[in-house]
Amino acid sequence: MKRVTLEEVARVAGVSRATASRVVNGAGTVDEVLRHAVERAISSTGYLPNIAARSLVTRRADAIGLVLPDEHRMLGDPHLGSVVSGVTRVVRPRGIHLVLMMTGPGTREQALSDLRCGRLDGVILVHTDPADPVPGQLIRAGLPVVLAGRPWQPMPITYVDVNQSAGGALAGERLLSLGCRRIATITGPQDMPTGRDRLRGFLDVVPDAVVVHGDFTRQAGMAAAHELIARCPDVDGVFAASDLMATGAIPVLHRSGRKVPDDVAVVGFDDSSAALTCEPELTTVRQPIADMAEEMARQLLRQIADRTAPVTSVVFEPSLVVRSSG
Amino acid sequence: MKRVTLEEVARVAGVSRATASRVVNGAGTVDEVLRHAVERAISSTGYLPNIAARSLVTRRADAIGLVLPDEHRMLGDPHLGSVVSGVTRVVRPRGIHLVLMMTGPGTREQALSDLRCGRLDGVILVHTDPADPVPGQLIRAGLPVVLAGRPWQPMPITYVDVNQSAGGALAGERLLSLGCRRIATITGPQDMPTGRDRLRGFLDVVPDAVVVHGDFTRQAGMAAAHELIARCPDVDGVFAASDLMATGAIPVLHRSGRKVPDDVAVVGFDDSSAALTCEPELTTVRQPIADMAEEMARQLLRQIADRTAPVTSVVFEPSLVVRSSG
């Protein structure tokens, strides 16, 4: 079960190492009889070609990177599993490795250097910081990259997103259709496109909503619910712009004596695993994360295959998932 | 920003490509003056050595695999983020790639073949199926592998685990110290060491506990709570052998009119992110997952550096985290 070497293959086939190597690397200049002998030796010995050697010929690492936001954010992120399985579904059948990189000191620089020196063929970047220079550097270097989510400022980069403002509108329509009259929203960060767009779409439908700001975390949902109860005690409908914020807000509403959904209807956003561990289970706006991640992987492979492929952005439509909270 | 080639480095340095290559690959046989010229050319051009080429020399991929259970299990697994960040903390500073592989058709075979052909230096295997032949194959092939969790049957393989039975005992002691008199447990799968050991440790402390079987999932926690209420309506303490099962059981207890923790104290196991999204927040037995993952990475790197390193198992101690549920 030890790794079989090319020398052994050559010995079994009765050819020189150079000939065995030419067969393994697909050179067309090998005599037919010798080629068959080498192929038989490859299968009888269980030889697997050294990929590092093949990489030298193809100039491909057959590996892509998934660069995630910082550790702290990711640990609480209920989407990670879906993103990984979506990307895996596309790359696994092609024998391409998915390399996971978490943002930390030097990670993005490492991704850039891995791309330049051929350890990675491309990266999917989960973009969280508008000041991050890496997307711009990747574009200027002509390196294959796909962003998860719309970029902060317009730039010629391929991205995959969900129609965030349409999702905000779906949440507003749901609360109106339930007959809510005193409607509030707990927003995401307003310096992120996701946070801004969800709020904009929601306000298009419920222009007089009470607005309390949050940052997508559970803690922010708790703090916002306290603020909301103080500012607007007769609130009867809440759109939390992330499921995590909804799971923070609901216990606070319960403790203040307001039952969800009887006294206050709550609609979340994401349809992440948090929506199901919530009590009551969350009515929420669904982002098809695994499908979006599959599309990111496909877009990246397209760029790797053709460096001149045009920039493409794919925007998925959200849908409302009705459960018990609103 | 295009990738600088070795040819350019050689041209800038005024040496042959072969000389430049010998410097890049650390050969000691290069004239000192020429070596300085090549090093200056490397920094002035921004050249990064082709890792595939270096791999051929070192016989290392500088990549390790993390082979996870099947997609379905992993999507609901609140530990994934902690495992990834623990492993990352060890491998990132060493420039080693973490390749994520999810069990699916052919994944484990692919991991094995990646190891044999040098695309991976070793794997961390999250072991879920006692019939899985891969751990045995890896051991027989002498390939570097670390198991997350004790193996199903004794085998000479390095693993990292938490003292599961001590954790079960901690949960039992907590319920007794709260004055619970009618105590039950919802177990993990009894064909898994984790499930068996947590139950065994718990029963050592509470030998007359009512036992209801589950499989670590939230759904199982809900079903078990229904069964428990029917079989043992005066239950006043429950040890759920996973946080997810506790998050399933608590709403069922609430709906039956039993308040947690006033009427029934509930203790979970894991201290995963699910413990915090639960209402009330879970008292639970903590596994130091990120520290355990760091240790797995360190054990694997040790084996990669020295194929004859002895088999070592590291068992961490659990601790009780007291929150609101029990």
Side-chain angles (χ1 to χ4, degrees):
Chain A
M1 295 287 273
K2 264 213 161 167
R3 198 188 294 170
V4 175
T5 63
L6 188 60
E7 284 73 13
E8 277 168 76
V9 172
R11 191 173 45 73
V12 170
V15 302
S16 70
R17 188 186 181 290
T19 299
S21 166
R22 287 210 302 282
V23 173
V24 165
N25 290 309
T29 56
V30 183
D31 175 86
E32 197 66 355
V33 175
L34 297 183
R35 191 165 62 78
H36 279 296
V38 172
E39 284 168 357
R40 275 195 305 273
I42 287 173
S43 60
S44 72
T45 57
Y47 173 77
L48 288 159
N50 185 307
I51 299 288
R54 211 182 60 185
S55 262
L56 275 182
V57 177
T58 62
R59 308 289 289 172
R60 292 269 171 80
D62 285 329
I64 64 167
L66 176 63
V67 183
L68 296 167
D70 61 273
E71 191 171 310
H72 179 73
R73 258 173 199 269
M74 208 207 52
L75 291 187
D77 187 339
H79 285 319
L80 176 64
S82 306
V83 170
V84 168
S85 57
V87 174
T88 300
R89 279 205 290 273
V90 173
V91 302
R92 180 167 59 200
R94 293 171 172 83
I96 294 170
H97 277 171
L98 173 62
V99 175
L100 210 57
M101 307 177 110
M102 250 188 296
T103 303
T107 307
R108 278 153 191 262
E109 294 66 25
Q110 197 196 322
L112 201 61
S113 113
D114 282 342
L115 283 167
R116 289 215 188 102
C117 73
R119 286 194 77 192
L120 291 176
D121 299 322
V123 292
I124 294 171
L125 211 57
V126 179
H127 190 42
T128 53
D129 175 1
D132 184 354
V134 170
Q137 290 171 335
L138 291 167
I139 297 170
R140 282 190 298 279
L143 294 166
V145 59
V146 170
L147 271 192
R150 189 161 66 83
W152 302 77
Q153 51 266 20
M155 52 172 86
I157 196 163
T158 293
Y159 67 85
V160 174
D161 205 346
V162 75
N163 187 334
Q164 307 282 356
S165 59
L170 279 177
E173 284 155 10
R174 172 69 185 172
L175 293 173
L176 290 177
S177 78
L178 289 171
C180 300
R181 284 146 180 270
R182 192 79 167 112
I183 297 178
T185 181
I186 307 172
T187 75
Q190 292 303 296
D191 57 355
M192 281 177 69
T194 332
R196 271 203 311 268
D197 293 350
R198 291 179 190 178
L199 176 60
R200 191 166 45 78
F202 179 76
L203 290 178
D204 282 347
V205 175
V206 193
D208 56 348
V210 176
V211 176
V212 181
H213 290 293
D215 64 3
F216 286 147
T217 65
R218 187 162 181 274
Q219 288 68 30
M222 297 175 70
H226 283 296
E227 183 183 336
L228 197 54
I229 291 163
R231 273 175 56 189
C232 177
D234 58 338
V235 62
D236 63 359
V238 175
F239 164 47
S242 77
D243 287 348
L244 281 178
M245 293 199 297
T247 67
I250 287 175
V252 174
L253 292 169
H254 282 166
R255 279 196 286 274
S256 78
R258 291 162 177 83
K259 291 191 79 169
V260 175
D262 300 347
D263 303 323
V264 186
V266 175
V267 175
F269 199 113
D270 286 335
D271 195 27
S272 67
S273 55
L276 289 171
T277 56
C278 188
E279 170 66 12
E281 293 187 354
L282 275 185
T283 291
T284 186
V285 177
R286 179 166 193 271
Q287 305 197 65
I289 294 287
D291 294 345
M292 290 162 69
E294 274 191 26
E295 183 62 27
M296 290 173 211
R298 275 193 295 266
Q299 290 290 339
L300 186 62
L301 296 185
R302 201 171 60 102
Q303 284 185 49
I304 292 166
D306 175 10
R307 293 295 183 99
T308 63
V311 165
T312 317
S313 298
V314 181
V315 177
F316 283 73
E317 283 306 308
S319 55
L320 186 77
V321 179
V322 175
R323 295 202 185 90
S324 314
S325 70
Chain B
M1 293 286 274
K2 264 214 163 167
R3 197 189 294 171
V4 176
T5 64
L6 188 60
E7 285 73 13
E8 277 169 75
V9 172
R11 191 174 45 72
V12 170
V15 304
S16 71
R17 189 187 181 288
T19 300
S21 168
R22 288 209 302 281
V23 173
V24 166
N25 291 309
T29 57
V30 182
D31 176 87
E32 198 67 355
V33 174
L34 296 185
R35 191 166 63 75
H36 279 296
V38 172
E39 283 168 359
R40 275 196 305 275
I42 287 173
S43 61
S44 73
T45 57
Y47 173 76
L48 288 159
N50 185 306
I51 299 288
R54 209 182 61 186
S55 261
L56 275 181
V57 176
T58 62
R59 308 287 290 173
R60 292 269 173 80
D62 284 331
I64 64 167
L66 176 64
V67 183
L68 296 167
D70 61 274
E71 189 171 310
H72 179 72
R73 258 174 199 270
M74 205 205 54
L75 291 186
D77 187 338
H79 285 320
L80 177 64
S82 306
V83 171
V84 168
S85 57
V87 174
T88 301
R89 279 205 288 272
V90 173
V91 302
R92 181 167 58 199
R94 295 169 171 83
I96 293 171
H97 277 171
L98 172 62
V99 175
L100 210 58
M101 307 178 111
M102 250 189 296
T103 303
T107 307
R108 278 154 189 260
E109 295 67 25
Q110 197 196 320
L112 201 61
S113 113
D114 281 343
L115 284 166
R116 289 215 187 103
C117 74
R119 285 194 79 191
L120 291 176
D121 299 322
V123 291
I124 294 171
L125 212 55
V126 180
H127 190 42
T128 53
D129 176 1
D132 185 355
V134 171
Q137 290 171 336
L138 292 168
I139 296 169
R140 283 191 298 279
L143 294 166
V145 59
V146 170
L147 272 192
R150 189 160 66 83
W152 301 76
Q153 53 266 18
M155 53 171 85
I157 196 164
T158 293
Y159 68 84
V160 175
D161 205 346
V162 75
N163 188 334
Q164 306 283 356
S165 59
L170 279 179
E173 283 154 11
R174 174 67 185 172
L175 293 173
L176 290 177
S177 78
L178 289 171
C180 300
R181 285 149 177 266
R182 191 80 166 113
I183 297 178
T185 179
I186 306 173
T187 75
Q190 292 304 295
D191 57 355
M192 280 176 71
T194 333
R196 271 202 310 269
D197 294 349
R198 290 178 190 179
L199 176 60
R200 190 164 47 76
F202 180 73
L203 289 179
D204 283 347
V205 176
V206 193
D208 56 347
V210 176
V211 176
V212 181
H213 290 294
D215 65 1
F216 286 147
T217 65
R218 188 164 181 273
Q219 288 67 30
M222 298 175 68
H226 283 295
E227 184 183 336
L228 197 55
I229 291 163
R231 273 175 56 187
C232 179
D234 57 339
V235 62
D236 63 359
V238 175
F239 164 46
S242 76
D243 288 349
L244 280 177
M245 293 200 296
T247 66
I250 288 175
V252 173
L253 291 169
H254 282 167
R255 278 196 288 272
S256 78
R258 290 161 177 84
K259 289 190 83 169
V260 175
D262 300 345
D263 304 321
V264 187
V266 175
V267 175
F269 199 113
D270 287 334
D271 195 26
S272 66
S273 55
L276 289 172
T277 58
C278 189
E279 169 66 13
E281 292 187 355
L282 275 185
T283 290
T284 187
V285 177
R286 180 166 193 271
Q287 305 196 66
I289 295 286
D291 294 346
M292 291 161 69
E294 272 190 27
E295 184 61 27
M296 291 174 212
R298 275 192 295 265
Q299 290 291 339
L300 187 63
L301 296 185
R302 200 171 60 101
Q303 283 185 48
I304 292 167
D306 175 8
R307 293 294 184 100
T308 64
V311 165
T312 317
S313 298
V314 182
V315 177
F316 283 74
E317 283 306 308
S319 55
L320 187 75
V321 180
V322 175
R323 295 203 184 90
S324 314
S325 70

